[in-house]
Amino acid sequence: MSGDILFLCHRVPFPPDRGDKIRSCHMLKRLAQIAPVHVGCFADDDRDMGFAADLAQVAASQRVLRRDRSKLVAGLTGLARRHSMLVSLFDHPGLHRWVRQTLAERPIRAVFAYSAQMAHFVPPLAPGIRFMMDFVDFDSAKYAAYGQQGSGPMAWINRREGRLLFDFERRVAARADLSSFVSEAEAALFRAATGLDAQRVVAIENGVALDYFDPAAPIDPIDPVPGGQGPLLVFTGQMDYRPNVEAVDSFARDVLPRIRAVHPDACFAIVGRNPAASVQALADLPGVIVTGGVPDVRGWLAAAQVVVAPLRIARGIQNKVLEAMAMARPVVASPQAAEGIDARDGDHLLVAADPAQEAERVLALLADPARAQALGLAARARMEQRYRWSATLADLPDMLLGPAPAARARA
C-alpha cells in the first residue's frame, strides 16, 4: 500500500496477557505486516510503561502516555459536560497533540481506533484517509445491563453511562468508514440499535495463540495444594473487572459447596491479576485459592480438571474460554460466556445457566474422566479449526484499506 497507518489503543498492547491487550496486540502485528504503523496509547502504571520497548519493535513510531486521570475526576468531568465517563477517563491533551502532529507529518493512509474511548482522539480527516473503529464490545449495552440489575445511585450512574456512551458510539459509527465488533452477535445488536447495515458494521473474531496455549508445549507444572488429592477447578481473568468478580463470588459461594459435598477435597483456584478486596476475601472460604497474578497461566489450566466461566454479564468473545479450550481442558461456561464462540454445547464445551446446573455439569465431568478428556480434545480441535489468529485477522488489511466513501458523516 502507499501510506502509513495510525493505530490508537487505550492500553499499550504488550504483553498480550489480558483480553483487550490480546486483541490489540495481534491486530497491531497484522497491520505492521503491510505498512509502517504509528501507535498512540496509554499506560495504566509503571509496569505498562516498561513495555514501550516491546512496542518499539513493531511500531514505526509511538507515543505512550501514562493515564493520569482518576475515576473521580473523569466522573465529575463527565457529569459536568454530559459526556460518557468512560470516554472522559481516557483523555489526555498530549495524545490529542501527538495525533494531530502525526497526521500532519506522516503519510497516513488509514486510522485504526481500538475501543470506543479512543475515538475522540480522531480529528476530522482529510479526504482519502480511511477511519476504522474497532469497538470490540457493545460497551454501552453492558452499562445498561448494570443499570437494570442494580438500584440506588450506582444504578442511575450506570443507566446514564449506558445512554451517553451509546449516543457516542452511534455518532462515531456514523462517522467511521467501517466499525467492527468481536462477534457477529455483538455486531448484529449494534446494527439493530443504530440502523447501520452489514456494509458498515462487521464482526472480526478473536483468535487464540495455539502455539502458546498448547497442551503439548513444555509447561512448568504447578502444585496448587501441596499433597492435595482433590479435583482442581480453575477460573482465569483480570480480577478487578466487575463481571469476573461477580462470577467468582457466585461460584465460590453457590457452586463450590455443592461440589465439595461430593468431593470434600475439591479446590477452586481464582487465577488473575489485581484481585479486588472482595475476591481476596474469598480465600477464607473452604477450598478457595486466590493466586493473584501468575507468571504463566498455562500451568494452572493444565492442572485443572475443569475450567469454569460462570459470567452473568459478558460481551463479545471470552478469551479465557478460548485459551482453556486450546489447552484441551473441559470447560463449563454460562450462556453469556459461551455466546459468540463457534462451539457446540455438549460437543466442545458444556453450557450451564445457573449455579445448580453449573454444579451438576462439573460433577458429571468429575465422575466421568474419559468424557472430560474427550471434551477437552474436541475443544482443542475446534480451536485449531476456527480460531487461529492468522485466520480471524486475514481480512483486516482489506477492511482497513478499502475504498473510502466520497463524504464522511459528521460526528
Side-chain angles (χ1 to χ4, degrees):
M1 67 167 275
S2 175
D4 296 2
I5 297 169
L6 175 60
F7 188 101
L8 304 173
C9 53
H10 65 302
R11 286 190 176 90
V12 62
F14 288 93
D17 60 355
R18 54 178 288 168
D20 51 1
K21 290 188 175 191
I22 291 169
R23 181 174 172 90
S24 63
C25 181
H26 285 278
M27 286 182 153
L28 171 59
K29 288 181 176 180
R30 178 70 181 99
L31 294 176
Q33 292 173 352
I34 63 165
V37 182
H38 307 275
V39 180
C41 61
F42 289 106
D44 284 341
D45 49 33
D46 290 340
R47 177 180 181 271
D48 271 359
M49 288 297 296
F51 293 112
D54 297 81
L55 179 58
Q57 296 180 19
V58 180
S61 71
Q62 65 185 65
R63 182 68 163 135
V64 182
L65 293 167
R66 178 72 177 265
R67 185 162 60 85
D68 56 5
R69 178 169 286 197
S70 70
K71 290 184 178 180
L72 176 61
V73 170
L76 293 174
T77 302
L79 285 169
R81 298 180 180 177
R82 289 189 56 79
H83 290 170
S84 157
M85 287 182 286
L86 181 66
V87 176
S88 295
L89 184 62
F90 288 84
D91 198 8
H92 197 295
L95 191 57
H96 284 286
R97 289 194 297 269
W98 181 83
V99 168
R100 291 193 298 269
Q101 180 181 355
T102 301
L103 286 167
E105 297 179 355
R106 306 281 186 173
I108 301 298
R109 168 70 175 83
V111 176
F112 183 94
Y114 179 88
S115 201
Q117 53 265 52
M118 299 306 292
H120 67 128
F121 291 104
V122 183
L125 297 173
I129 299 180
R130 189 167 169 85
F131 172 30
M132 182 171 175
M133 180 70 237
D134 184 33
F135 286 105
V136 188
D137 299 328
F138 192 177
D139 280 331
S140 61
K142 176 180 65 180
Y143 285 100
Y146 288 156
Q148 291 171 0
Q149 286 184 355
S151 61
M154 280 307 302
W156 179 85
I157 289 172
N158 283 322
R159 289 194 296 270
R160 175 188 181 277
E161 180 68 4
R163 291 192 302 271
L164 292 177
L165 185 56
F166 173 66
D167 183 62
F168 179 76
E169 291 166 337
R170 178 185 56 77
R171 288 185 285 113
V172 169
R175 178 186 173 208
D177 297 309
L178 188 68
S179 297
S180 56
F181 288 83
V182 73
S183 71
E184 177 55 32
E186 293 285 284
L189 284 174
F190 193 78
R191 288 194 292 262
T194 60
L196 295 172
D197 62 26
Q199 300 301 310
R200 299 287 302 280
V201 180
V202 300
I204 302 177
E205 293 179 318
N206 275 358
V208 62
L210 291 169
D211 291 339
Y212 183 78
F213 289 98
D214 183 348
I219 300 169
D220 291 334
I222 59 105
D223 187 8
V225 184
Q229 300 298 315
L232 176 66
L233 318 174
V234 169
F235 177 97
T236 63
Q238 183 76 16
M239 291 317 308
D240 55 1
Y241 178 53
R242 176 175 169 177
N244 288 345
V245 171
E246 293 176 348
V248 298
D249 186 83
S250 172
F251 194 88
R253 297 184 187 280
D254 302 328
V255 182
L256 184 61
R258 305 179 196 216
I259 295 169
R260 284 174 62 89
V262 181
H263 297 276
D265 294 332
C267 291
F268 173 45
I270 301 167
V271 182
R273 189 182 303 115
N274 297 336
S278 61
V279 174
Q280 295 178 41
L282 295 175
D284 294 333
L285 299 177
V288 177
I289 303 166
V290 179
T291 71
V294 298
D296 190 342
V297 72
R298 295 175 302 169
W300 287 89
L301 292 174
Q305 274 70 49
V306 181
V307 176
V308 298
L311 288 87
R312 302 293 173 237
I313 292 180
R315 309 299 327 171
I317 292 179
Q318 295 298 309
N319 290 295
K320 59 173 61 68
V321 176
L322 298 183
E323 291 167 359
M325 294 175 72
M327 288 291 292
R329 295 294 82 204
V331 174
V332 174
S334 66
Q336 295 90 335
E339 184 181 41
I341 297 177
D342 187 6
R344 291 187 300 276
D345 179 20
D347 291 334
H348 307 114
L349 78 171
L350 299 182
V351 177
D354 54 44
Q357 196 171 51
E358 286 162 4
E360 175 188 332
R361 296 236 156 164
V362 170
L363 285 169
L365 290 172
L366 296 179
D368 191 348
R371 184 191 178 207
Q373 182 181 33
L375 190 70
L377 292 174
R380 171 70 190 187
R382 191 58 173 163
M383 294 300 100
E384 291 176 343
Q385 181 184 35
R386 278 285 283 109
Y387 286 101
R388 291 185 182 276
W389 279 110
S390 58
T392 61
L393 298 183
D395 296 333
L396 177 60
D398 289 340
M399 289 179 176
L400 177 61
L401 303 174
R408 181 179 282 109
R410 287 187 179 272

